[in-house]
Amino acid sequence: MIKEYREAIAVTPLGGGAYSAQITEGWAIGGNVFGGYLAALIGNAISHDLAELGHPHPYAVSAYFLSPSAPGEAIIRVERMRLGKGTSTVEARLFQTVDGVEVERGRVLATFGDLAAMKGDTVISSTPPEMPPIEDCVLTALAPDELKQYINIFDRFQMRLDPTVKGPVGGKPTNKPYAQGWFQHNDGSPSDPISLLATADILPPITIDFGQMGWVPTLELTVYVRAIPAPGPIRVRHECRTYAGGFLEEDCVMYDSEDRLVAQSRQLALAPRPV
Amino acid sequence: MIKEYREAIAVTPLGGGAYSAQITEGWAIGGNVFGGYLAALIGNAISHDLAELGHPHPYAVSAYFLSPSAPGEAIIRVERMRLGKGTSTVEARLFQTVDGVEVERGRVLATFGDLAAMKGDTVISSTPPEMPPIEDCVLTALAPDELKQYINIFDRFQMRLDPTVKGPVGGKPTNKPYAQGWFQHNDGSPSDPISLLATADILPPITIDFGQMGWVPTLELTVYVRAIPAPGPIRVRHECRTYAGGFLEEDCVMYDSEDRLVAQSRQLALAPRPV
């Protein structure tokens, strides 16, 4: 059964820092559960765990993926490593049971705090990337069915892509090392510090715009959440600086409707595995 | 006793994935051991651990610092999480014993492999930042003594800074959100994939060039090593995009003498604590 964002990341506390969750259908790329969804799911478990300490928001989250997750039951175990006044640091591990044995799917180190309590002047600030207005951007849900069968998550978001980068929605590859667009949740959920962990991984890999189809496995993903987003769509852009030797990185920035940088992320990924 | 780079990062295997090390004097900023040194020390222990599996080189290393390290004995414990054909993923934890109790200083997730075995075309490549020639750059060891007493590591490297950013070597702050320069080891060690983990954190924080002195605690540091550096100095540049609400990030790129991006990193840090 497909669930939309808010229900898909729901967790149930089991006590002792353990949380159960259901990885739902429809959140996959080439049969592999989308890493951004897993990051938001794990982040949601950590947020539940640290809310009582006044640290519900991710400041920094680093995720290493160990084996492909599958739809179905999952357990997240949160270990509190350092509890501070302003921030707490944890480790969180995602498990699924296969043939009676718990298999680790991914491990996360993270520092959480309270973004609403941040204090300090704005000394340096950046400006959002230029992109076409939302009404001129192309909804990923309108991509051809053969692409959406492979990239299920195109149906999970109101993600509107800059049409000058055509590859991801079925056009001719334009060999541009970036992708960008406007992001909103399907189920009307406002973007929040946890959902930005998913948005950080939402854009189609730049490899598609180089005519290379296939699953691009993320080795590592680190997200910094810098502010609580204002209501409205998030402008998201990622860019690759170096794609060589079978590896590429994607650097991502996210801006809210008030032009603030609300999150930034980077991932190291492997060149596409052929479909 | 002060030891230079190669000796400073030496580790001794104790068996079972444990390694002993001596954190040496002279590697501090405001009394706190420099995070880049700790990253290279931990990276060296991981490299020793995975060498027998053919994975001696860091691809991605994410470090979370938990408590300030001090010169003296340290133990690094490496847990192998996933052993693959091309890469292996580990967790490594740094401990020091205080009053008979082991205290965790930092925890790292990392994926290692063999950078010499990487295969694949160069699809996207970036160019090094423009900076003055090495002979026009200012050796950090020439900074005023009162600054070097605080920033001990200025004496630990042949780090030559672009003089247009004057703050770090005692000039008038020029309010530039970046720093850059040419890096070499003091002891003549060539740069290698492990030493790039230290180089990623070597530039003085951009806050100095905004007239803000003080320790800038790193919450999280992730480094991607992309290639084995060619002999010669490393050009290193970091830049801050957003410094607001008491937090800043620094994005760092490292290029070798053949103009290749050999490593990139990002860290999230707290605004300076007054000296």
Side-chain angles (χ1 to χ4, degrees):
Chain A
M1 197 183 105
I2 294 173
K3 289 181 184 169
E4 297 302 343
Y5 174 71
R6 186 63 48 193
E7 286 188 55
I9 64 152
V11 296
T12 306
L14 302 175
Y19 295 82
S20 69
Q22 283 290 334
I23 295 176
T24 77
E25 307 276 348
W27 291 82
I29 304 169
N32 296 281
V33 179
F34 162 57
Y37 166 38
L38 298 175
L41 181 67
I42 296 168
N44 196 32
I46 299 171
S47 178
H48 273 71
D49 204 71
L50 296 178
E52 68 182 36
L53 301 170
H55 296 157
H57 301 140
Y59 286 5
V61 174
S62 302
Y64 283 70
F65 298 103
L66 302 170
S67 59
S69 297
E73 189 86 27
I75 299 277
I76 299 128
R77 299 187 196 282
V78 180
E79 176 204 350
R80 296 175 177 182
M81 288 158 58
R82 186 192 58 79
L83 303 182
K85 207 175 148 210
T87 61
S88 294
T89 301
V90 301
E91 174 166 289
R93 302 169 68 180
L94 177 71
F95 296 93
Q96 291 193 298
T97 299
V98 180
D99 297 333
V101 179
E102 265 200 356
V103 177
E104 189 170 2
R105 297 308 194 192
R107 199 177 294 195
V108 159
L109 295 176
T111 292
F112 273 53
D114 182 357
L115 288 167
M118 290 171 76
K119 283 191 192 106
D121 296 337
T122 297
V123 183
I124 300 166
S125 66
S126 61
T127 46
E130 283 187 33
M131 61 178 81
I134 192 166
E135 59 273 16
D136 294 343
C137 289
V138 183
L139 204 59
T140 58
L142 300 178
D145 277 346
E146 61 267 27
L147 202 61
K148 289 202 295 177
Q149 261 179 351
Y150 182 72
I151 309 180
N152 302 163
I153 60 160
F154 273 2
D155 274 330
R156 291 281 74 66
F157 301 103
Q158 300 285 321
M159 179 74 231
R160 289 171 190 273
L161 294 175
D162 179 344
T164 63
V165 182
K166 291 207 189 291
V169 280
K172 199 161 167 262
T174 44
N175 288 6
K176 293 191 177 171
Y178 67 89
Q180 60 183 14
W182 301 79
F183 172 87
Q184 285 174 294
H185 287 289
N186 248 3
D187 59 4
S189 300
S191 283
D192 64 25
I194 297 296
S195 78
L196 292 174
L197 302 177
T199 311
D201 192 33
I202 199 65
L203 287 169
I206 58 95
T207 48
I208 295 185
D209 210 52
F210 283 78
Q212 302 181 354
M213 287 304 292
W215 168 244
V216 177
T218 298
L219 286 185
E220 196 271 344
L221 169 69
T222 292
V223 186
Y224 297 161
V225 180
R226 306 298 298 273
I228 299 173
I234 300 291
R235 273 159 295 174
V236 52
R237 176 190 167 98
H238 72 188
E239 189 157 355
C240 174
R241 195 193 293 266
T242 292
Y243 172 13
F247 289 82
L248 65 149
E249 99 285 354
E250 288 177 331
D251 245 32
C252 181
V253 286
M254 287 152 268
Y255 289 82
D256 72 4
S257 58
E258 293 175 1
D259 287 358
R260 270 185 320 170
L261 179 78
V262 289
Q264 59 200 141
S265 71
R266 182 179 285 160
Q267 64 176 280
L268 184 65
L270 295 173
R273 304 298 160 101
V275 185
Chain B
M1 196 182 104
I2 293 174
K3 290 181 182 170
E4 298 301 343
Y5 175 71
R6 186 64 47 193
E7 285 187 57
I9 64 150
V11 297
T12 305
L14 303 174
Y19 296 82
S20 71
Q22 283 289 335
I23 295 176
T24 77
E25 306 276 348
W27 290 82
I29 305 169
N32 296 281
V33 179
F34 162 58
Y37 166 39
L38 298 175
L41 181 67
I42 296 168
N44 197 31
I46 299 171
S47 178
H48 274 70
D49 205 71
L50 296 178
E52 68 182 37
L53 301 172
H55 297 157
H57 301 141
Y59 285 5
V61 174
S62 302
Y64 283 69
F65 298 104
L66 302 170
S67 60
S69 297
E73 189 87 27
I75 299 277
I76 300 129
R77 300 187 196 282
V78 180
E79 176 205 348
R80 297 174 176 183
M81 287 157 58
R82 187 192 57 78
L83 304 181
K85 206 174 151 209
T87 62
S88 294
T89 301
V90 302
E91 175 166 289
R93 302 169 68 180
L94 177 70
F95 296 94
Q96 291 193 297
T97 299
V98 181
D99 297 333
V101 179
E102 266 200 356
V103 178
E104 188 169 4
R105 297 309 195 191
R107 199 177 294 196
V108 159
L109 295 177
T111 292
F112 273 54
D114 181 357
L115 288 167
M118 288 170 77
K119 284 191 190 111
D121 295 338
T122 297
V123 182
I124 300 166
S125 67
S126 61
T127 47
E130 282 186 35
M131 60 178 81
I134 192 165
E135 59 273 17
D136 294 344
C137 289
V138 183
L139 204 59
T140 58
L142 299 178
D145 277 347
E146 61 268 27
L147 201 62
K148 288 202 294 178
Q149 260 178 353
Y150 183 73
I151 309 182
N152 302 163
I153 60 160
F154 272 3
D155 274 331
R156 290 282 74 67
F157 302 104
Q158 300 285 322
M159 179 75 231
R160 290 171 190 273
L161 293 175
D162 179 342
T164 63
V165 182
K166 290 209 190 291
V169 282
K172 199 162 167 262
T174 43
N175 287 6
K176 293 192 176 170
Y178 67 89
Q180 59 182 15
W182 301 78
F183 172 88
Q184 285 173 294
H185 287 288
N186 248 3
D187 59 5
S189 299
S191 283
D192 64 26
I194 297 297
S195 78
L196 292 174
L197 302 178
T199 312
D201 192 33
I202 199 65
L203 288 170
I206 58 96
T207 48
I208 295 186
D209 210 53
F210 283 78
Q212 303 181 354
M213 286 302 293
W215 169 243
V216 177
T218 299
L219 286 185
E220 196 272 344
L221 169 69
T222 292
V223 187
Y224 296 161
V225 180
R226 307 297 299 270
I228 298 172
I234 300 291
R235 273 159 296 174
V236 52
R237 175 190 167 97
H238 73 187
E239 190 158 355
C240 175
R241 194 194 294 266
T242 292
Y243 173 14
F247 289 81
L248 65 150
E249 98 286 353
E250 289 177 330
D251 245 33
C252 181
V253 286
M254 287 152 267
Y255 288 83
D256 71 5
S257 58
E258 293 176 0
D259 286 359
R260 269 183 323 168
L261 178 79
V262 288
Q264 60 201 141
S265 71
R266 180 179 286 160
Q267 64 176 278
L268 184 66
L270 295 173
R273 304 296 160 103
V275 185

